[in-house]
Amino acid sequence: MSDENRVFIFDTTLRDGEQSPGATMSHAEKLEIAAMLDEMHVDIIEAGFPIASEGDFKAVSEIARQSQNSVICGLARAQLPDIDRCWEAVKHAKRPRIHTFIGTSPLHRAIPNLDQDQMAERIEQTVTHARNLCDNVQWSPMDATRTEHDYLCRVVEIAIKCGATTINIPDTVGYTAPRESAELIRMLIEKVPGADEVIFATHCHNDLGMATANSLAAVEAGARQIECTINGLGERAGNTALEEVVMAMRVRNDIMPFSTGIDTTKIMGLSRRVAQVSGFPVQFNKAIVGKNAFLHESGIHQDGVLKNVETFEIMKPADIGLNAANIAMGKHSGRAALRSKLKDLGYEVGDNQLKDVFVRFKALADRKKEVFDEDIVALMQDSAANTGDDFLQVKHLRVVCGSDGQTADLTLIVDGQEQTASTTGDGPVDAVFNAVKQIYPHNAVLQLYQVHAVTEGTDAQATVSVRMEEEGRIATGQSADTDTILASVKAYVGALNRLRVRRGQVGEGADAKQVSMYSH
């Protein structure tokens, strides 16, 4: 492909994506997602914010060491200690990148109380410092879409002169519209000296639902890097979704003759895994990767698809890693069939993991007449959310319900030790949650409790999602089971485990919001 038609994909799932309230990932999960992105041939992986915490620094460092294909990037504020810490983390990569930024709009200049000249000096100093450490430097003027155009041109020129090789233009608050996005990139390329020597990038948030459209409009205007995340994960309403921009360029090559090096057949597997580890389920009608993206209920649609699938589908399921073959799964299915089905659904499992999942699958198949793909996905999510390595684990639950009241007898394993409680409550779920709190006292507040059926029927699995907050830290938990109350306590305990991890990342007494305040 020609250089002018080559679009680089910059994935920030592990940085901006993890800043979604409650989307904390463990160290092992970050390494796993990074390996999947690397295998998918994502051009640049923003692995984290090294100075934010010791955990982030370690994750970025190890991702840098394990990467084979991708450029590994770390984020740094326009401060010398940030940049030094970032370089210490990414320097182990085959192709490292430092990404430094500062807020340039009037609103953001007021925060550090810098006038335009003072901020220009800060940009010159920090970009120069970054370039002296690394020959691949990206610079971002945070809130660029609300920055005065003359000043934006001025600071972009400074960054280029100081050695930045990529200039990223963030729509930090999802404020712009596609035409404005294109005009802004076009203006910078035309007006800024040296613009032809760097790559312009775009980073769009989805507050008004236009992130993907804004990113593609910027590419049409000359940007050659899109910052995005798997499933559109990210601050507030999220970011441009990787799967949307990649498939849009592929499907509409007639009007967007751009290409990427992404292996699209791995999209669905990565989408499901990110949903798993982040605790953010993909909405059913989400473009490309949603459960309903390739389903048809209307009789007219069904008839058309049966006659010619192209009548109502603009892409093939196989293009994103969905296998059209249907293996009926049930209690007579063996390990080979389960492994094949898991692979079709995007899960590659080792022998030990397959053994554990097979036991869970058989138990589920004994309780259900038919096991659907959605059941198996829920099973994998529950398997990942409740492991033998967790600090808190559910061992036994017995609940009695009725008009005379509700009681719960619960046994948890707490740091390897069994503890039991018997409690009452205003309903079975309340009784169970009271039992957890009696065994493991905590100050976390339940912000969300949500139940939905994975499939239809009275034997359907229920997927329960909870969201909890503790001193500014937010964590989610999710679990699935044909027993809704058991799924509820597993999800609740899962969120407590994540809060414990997040507490360790930030540190006792620290401002938890600092971990997620540096988004652009």
Side-chain angles (χ1 to χ4, degrees):
M1 66 187 73
S2 64
D3 289 342
E4 65 180 14
N5 289 339
R6 174 74 158 88
V7 175
F8 296 95
I9 298 298
F10 178 112
D11 184 272
T12 184
T13 302
L14 297 174
R15 200 277 302 170
D16 198 331
E18 206 209 8
Q19 287 180 190
S20 301
T24 303
M25 301 180 198
S26 71
H27 182 77
E29 289 167 344
K30 290 179 182 180
L31 297 186
E32 180 188 358
I33 296 301
M36 295 176 74
L37 289 166
D38 191 55
E39 184 183 2
M40 199 167 80
H41 295 284
V42 166
D43 297 291
I44 305 102
I45 300 172
E46 189 166 53
F49 195 169
I51 207 166
S53 70
E54 186 62 26
D56 245 30
F57 177 81
K58 289 179 179 178
V60 176
S61 299
E62 196 159 338
I63 289 168
R65 287 185 174 94
Q66 77 174 19
S67 63
Q68 298 299 314
N69 305 305
S70 305
V71 171
I72 302 301
C73 176
L75 186 67
R77 293 168 298 181
Q79 298 178 14
L80 301 188
D82 274 45
I83 294 169
D84 289 339
R85 188 65 167 164
C86 181
W87 174 241
E88 283 299 311
V90 302
K91 69 180 182 181
H92 308 289
K94 292 180 178 179
R95 293 187 293 161
R97 174 182 291 190
I98 294 174
H99 178 193
T100 184
F101 73 97
I102 194 168
T104 55
S105 70
L107 286 167
H108 284 269
R109 292 199 301 270
I111 294 173
N113 195 27
L114 297 176
D115 61 30
Q116 290 188 356
D117 292 337
Q118 290 170 325
M119 179 163 285
E121 290 176 7
R122 173 81 64 85
I123 294 166
E124 182 177 6
Q125 177 193 31
T126 52
V127 175
T128 298
H129 183 68
R131 183 56 194 264
N132 286 336
L133 296 172
C134 180
D135 63 3
N136 189 340
V137 174
Q138 176 169 316
W139 180 74
S140 294
M142 184 165 66
D143 205 20
T145 55
R146 295 192 295 176
T147 299
E148 307 95 317
H149 284 189
D150 287 346
Y151 187 63
L152 184 62
C153 288
R154 176 186 172 188
V155 292
V156 167
E157 181 180 357
I158 290 172
I160 293 173
K161 285 182 177 178
C162 292
T165 51
T166 299
I167 301 294
N168 177 50
I169 304 301
D171 183 20
T172 301
V173 292
Y175 176 78
T176 196
R179 185 175 66 182
E180 295 172 316
S181 178
E183 289 175 349
L184 188 59
I185 294 293
R186 194 173 290 115
M187 177 202 72
L188 291 170
I189 291 175
E190 291 174 354
K191 287 188 175 184
V192 175
D196 58 331
E197 299 174 6
V198 299
I199 291 175
F200 276 86
T202 181
H203 179 116
C204 299
H205 280 263
N206 204 38
D207 296 71
L208 295 176
M210 293 189 284
T212 296
N214 287 335
S215 294
L216 293 172
V219 167
E220 288 191 276
R224 285 298 173 267
Q225 177 180 295
I226 295 178
E227 297 203 0
C228 48
T229 60
I230 298 296
N231 299 339
L233 199 64
E235 293 271 12
R236 304 181 312 279
N239 291 282
T240 300
L242 179 149
E243 59 274 8
E244 292 177 4
V245 293
V246 170
M247 293 309 295
M249 284 187 280
R250 179 168 178 165
V251 171
R252 293 309 312 270
N253 194 258
D254 55 331
I255 62 169
M256 290 183 289
F258 307 113
S259 301
T260 72
I262 296 291
D263 180 357
T264 63
T265 64
K266 299 183 183 297
I267 284 177
M268 184 56 73
L270 185 53
S271 168
R272 285 173 169 155
R273 188 59 181 138
V274 168
Q276 238 179 295
V277 302
S278 67
F280 277 58
V282 178
Q283 66 193 60
F284 284 7
N285 62 337
K286 179 81 168 66
I288 317 297
V289 294
K291 174 183 175 181
N292 291 348
F294 293 95
L295 294 181
H296 307 273
E297 185 167 322
S298 160
I300 294 173
H301 282 227
Q302 289 174 340
D303 181 66
V305 168
L306 289 171
K307 292 174 179 175
N308 183 347
V309 70
E310 293 182 0
T311 54
F312 290 106
E313 289 185 8
I314 60 172
M315 65 191 85
K316 299 175 182 177
D319 289 344
I320 59 167
L322 281 177
N323 194 328
N326 183 24
I327 301 174
M329 300 298 293
K331 64 180 181 179
H332 299 297
S333 300
R335 283 183 175 82
L338 179 59
R339 186 191 290 274
S340 176
K341 173 57 73 175
L342 288 172
K343 187 174 182 180
D344 289 345
L345 294 173
Y347 298 101
E348 294 283 352
V349 297
D351 291 340
N352 289 337
Q353 187 181 6
L354 178 65
K355 182 179 179 181
D356 176 65
V357 174
F358 186 68
V359 171
R360 295 168 182 259
F361 165 73
K362 281 291 191 180
L364 176 64
D366 283 338
R367 301 198 303 267
K368 286 178 60 65
K369 295 178 181 178
E370 186 175 358
V371 180
F372 299 96
D373 287 0
E374 293 80 9
D375 289 313
I376 296 175
V377 171
L379 191 73
M380 291 298 292
Q381 291 173 340
D382 186 55
S383 176
N386 299 279
T387 71
D389 297 327
D390 287 334
F391 182 80
L392 298 173
Q393 301 167 48
V394 178
K395 182 175 182 181
H396 173 76
L397 175 66
R398 180 176 179 270
V399 178
V400 177
C401 303
S403 58
D404 296 330
Q406 292 78 31
T407 61
D409 299 324
L410 176 67
T411 300
L412 291 181
I413 298 176
V414 183
D415 197 18
Q417 302 295 318
E418 287 189 17
Q419 296 188 37
T420 300
S422 296
T423 57
T424 60
D426 185 14
V429 174
D430 187 52
V432 171
F433 288 1
N434 287 340
V436 173
K437 196 164 186 176
Q438 182 172 310
I439 294 172
Y440 181 71
H442 59 83
N443 297 318
V445 177
L446 182 65
Q447 293 186 326
L448 173 72
Y449 171 77
Q450 192 173 61
V451 182
H452 75 265
V454 175
T455 53
E456 298 178 353
T458 56
D459 63 350
Q461 283 196 98
T463 292
V464 177
S465 301
V466 301
R467 176 184 171 115
M468 303 182 72
E469 184 270 336
E470 178 190 58
E471 298 178 356
R473 305 176 183 92
I474 297 175
T476 59
Q478 188 179 83
S479 185
D481 199 281
T482 53
D483 184 328
T484 305
I485 308 304
L486 182 58
S488 299
V489 70
K490 285 184 176 180
Y492 190 79
V493 165
L496 289 175
N497 280 321
R498 286 181 176 272
L499 277 175
R500 187 171 180 273
V501 170
R502 197 167 182 86
R503 195 184 307 131
Q505 286 181 337
V506 178
E508 293 291 348
D511 181 3
K513 294 179 181 178
Q514 11 177 337
V515 176
S516 60
M517 70 180 288
Y518 306 119
S519 173
H520 57 272

